[in-house]
Amino acid sequence: MQRRPGRGHRRLPHTADVRIEAWAPTRQECVAEAVAALVDTFVDPAGARPGARREFHAPAGDGDADLLVGVLDEVIFRMETAGELPLHTAVADDGAGGLRVRWRTADTDAVELVGAVPKAVSLHGLRFGPDGGGWSCAVTLDV
């Protein structure tokens, strides 16, 4: 079995929807990788230039999985309502169990569509937590 890099993401085979997996040394970096994985499932951001700076606060909820879903749902919401996608994501703890997310975004018109656009994050099969010295997650996206 090939060893995976310390930080990354991939798309997993799934029958009807899209399934992604992300991993990183910290909880915050894993959330940032999950955002990149979500975007990579349906657009090719190559050549797009980062524009606006955006921030989002995901308050502490019922657990880490809720935080991850909240951040990914916000990406989908901003895509649908503001026509923007994150090209770069930075995530930090807010000091109270939540997350502070900062994005550099691009207009959806500036990226090439290469797959089905996600409509929501499914809670079925959701996984997010510590994993062998780092953090990992697996998420199904409804398309």
Side-chain angles (χ1 to χ4, degrees):
M1 184 172 167
Q2 192 175 30
R3 184 180 159 109
R4 69 182 186 195
R7 179 179 176 149
H9 60 268
R10 66 182 177 162
R11 185 176 179 162
L12 300 170
H14 196 272
T15 53
D17 296 313
V18 174
R19 185 126 171 110
I20 57 172
E21 183 179 74
W23 59 92
T26 68
R27 177 178 80 144
Q28 301 87 338
E29 291 172 309
C30 190
V31 170
E33 280 296 327
V35 169
L38 183 154
V39 172
D40 287 352
T41 65
F42 69 101
V43 299
D44 179 3
R49 294 181 185 237
R53 296 177 191 272
R54 303 287 187 232
E55 289 192 19
F56 173 68
H57 179 245
D62 290 333
D64 292 319
D66 283 346
L67 287 171
L68 175 64
V69 169
V71 171
L72 297 178
D73 277 344
E74 183 68 12
V75 171
I76 294 168
F77 174 77
R78 288 177 188 241
M79 175 193 60
E80 292 174 347
T81 62
E84 62 186 22
L85 289 170
L87 294 180
H88 302 289
T89 303
V91 181
D93 277 326
D94 71 357
L99 297 172
R100 177 95 33 219
V101 183
R102 291 183 175 91
W103 287 300
R104 291 292 306 272
T105 64
D107 290 340
T108 53
D109 294 340
V111 294
E112 181 183 347
L113 188 66
V114 295
V117 177
K119 301 296 180 199
V121 177
S122 173
L123 300 180
H124 180 72
L126 176 67
R127 178 179 51 77
F128 181 47
D131 179 15
W135 282 71
S136 69
C137 67
V139 178
T140 300
L141 304 169
D142 296 331
V143 294

